[in-house]
Amino acid sequence: MDAGNFLTRTHCPLLDRAGLPRLRFHDLRQTAATLLLEAGAHPRVVAERLGHATPSLVMNTYGHATERMQKDATAALESVLGA
């Protein structure tokens, strides 16, 4: 498959139809990893899907704390503390 052909004929039209900005194809991979981690997927599973050898690579690269993760952590701590 020709990469340029894929981008102009498939990737960009799909982004347009979905109402998404013109993201690089690799950006979708990074977004998927972040969303999986945010949804609570185990880092080892995310690592396997991305073809990484270790979960630590996934966490160091994609494991930045999103606003939702911060809120979930706050709710979990409040639950433990009975607040």
Side-chain angles (χ1 to χ4, degrees), residues 62-74:
Y62 306 107
H64 51 276
T66 65
E67 184 177 340
R68 181 175 174 186
M69 289 176 179
Q70 292 287 2
K71 287 180 180 178
D72 289 348
T74 299

Side-chain angles (χ1 to χ4, degrees), residues 1-2 6 10 15 54 66-67 71 82:
M1 177 183 295
D2 179 86
F6 170 76
T10 305
L15 291 174
T54 64
T66 65
E67 184 177 340
K71 287 180 180 178

Side-chain angles (χ1 to χ4, degrees), residues 25-39:
F25 191 74
H26 191 75
D27 293 338
L28 295 176
R29 172 184 164 92
Q30 295 172 338
T31 300
T34 299
L35 291 174
L36 284 168
L37 293 170
E38 186 178 64

Side-chain angles (χ1 to χ4, degrees), residues 29 46-53:
R29 172 184 164 92
V46 178
E48 288 177 9
R49 288 185 172 221
L50 296 176
H52 291 305

